[in-house]
Amino acid sequence: MAGLGGRMSTVIKAKISKMLDRAEDPGETLDYGYNKQLELLQNVKKGIADVVTAKKRIQMQAQKHEQQIVKLDTQARQALAQGREDLARTALERKSGLQAELQSLDTQVKELEAQQEQLIANEKKLRQKIEAFRTKKEVIKAQYSASEAQVRISEAASGVGEEMADLGLAMQRAEQKTEDMRARADAVQELEAAGAFDDITALGSGGQDEIDRELAQLTSGAQVDDELAKMKAELGTGSGEADKPALGQGEQA
Amino acid sequence: MIVRIAGEGQFRIPDEDQDKLNELDNATVEAVDAGDEGRFQELWGQMLAIVAADGNALPEDELVESDIILPPRDTTIEEARHEFTGEGLIPD
């Protein structure tokens, strides 16, 4: 076995061969192997449940983002209604940053859901493999001599072991992804709470250069300008009257 | 021979495919070494396509080890750096 296989299932295979060496009687080895598989299956189920829980937490964070977006929109309207275009602009800038973040979170949650479905399907497959192992072990016990049985057990156990190692790897990937998303959502939340949202590009400048940042500002700026203009029109302050107090005009914010 | 796509399951493919896969495997190592993302995606897609075209999924009650294990379908070139090195996934 080469490449990924070597690394991925080494640990589990080592465990299995240790277990096979320990017992003298193949019958005993088989029962032990089967019980061990059931035990590992429980771990798999718990692992999948953890990923589902983590995903739900991320969805809750996304909901908070949504509430914050609505709030910032309201604040922008209020600010504009009172002639404070500067405040309105800041609120809309923050809103635009949050919207971008929310969009990326939504995409990632969808990806995570697909991964979860795959994990659940694979867990079912693993269960079927373990069930097949159970059937096979009874056949081996009944039909083969001790030395021959040892070889056949070893093959079957390695097959199940590989399936387990594969699911373990998939779970690890899903967990890593969830962890990354949660950390990112947390960071955004903290920045937003500290009112430093406009600095997010500067703070997260890991792979971004100056041009990236300027481009991001341009896009966000144009979007904000558009939205400001729209709000002004709705509030009836669009005809160069933006600097005057606009209370009582248009619809009340 | 039996090939596994990590996260998807095992497939039985004709032995003749080994040479084709090995060739692509070696080319993939080169693409990864060169940091050529486009070429990597192209070759990796071709490897998966061979398994999709010629492979038959193994029944659930067949308990065997794979001869080749391919990494997950959505492997990035960064992840591939750990897998496609030296002789690649398939020893020459």
Side-chain angles (χ1 to χ4, degrees), chain A residues 1-9 13 115 118 122 125 128-130 132-134 136 154-160 162-164 166 169-170 173, chain B residues 2-10 58-76 79 82-83 88-91:
Chain A
M1 174 124 16
L4 186 69
R7 222 162 35 81
M8 186 173 72
S9 49
K13 264 195 233 150
Q115 272 183 345
Q118 187 74 49
N122 288 356
K125 202 189 283 176
Q128 287 169 337
K129 293 255 177 202
I130 293 176
F133 184 84
R134 192 183 69 82
K136 199 160 271 191
S154 191
E155 279 171 6
S158 295
V160 178
E162 187 185 301
E163 193 74 40
M164 259 178 202
D166 186 39
L169 179 89
R173 287 184 111 225
Chain B
I2 310 289
V3 56
R4 175 186 289 279
I5 301 175
E8 292 180 32
Q10 291 172 298
L58 228 59
E60 308 306 354
D61 60 354
E62 201 166 336
L63 305 175
V64 288
E65 272 193 277
S66 308
D67 299 298
I68 305 170
I69 298 185
L70 301 179
R73 184 172 291 274
D74 60 351
T75 293
T76 61
E79 289 173 308
H82 303 291
E83 316 293 351
L89 302 173
I90 311 163

Side-chain angles (χ1 to χ4, degrees), chain A residues 11-23 29 32:
Chain A
V11 179
I12 288 189
K13 264 195 233 150
K15 275 187 190 157
I16 287 170
S17 54
K18 215 170 166 186
M19 156 195 114
L20 292 176
D21 288 344
R22 202 178 299 146
T29 315
Y32 181 75

Side-chain angles (χ1 to χ4, degrees), chain A residues 85-102:
Chain A
E85 186 172 336
D86 54 334
L87 278 182
R89 180 175 289 277
T90 306
L92 287 179
E93 273 165 7
R94 290 193 191 174
K95 180 184 155 190
S96 142
L98 263 184
Q99 272 172 330
E101 198 56 41
L102 184 64

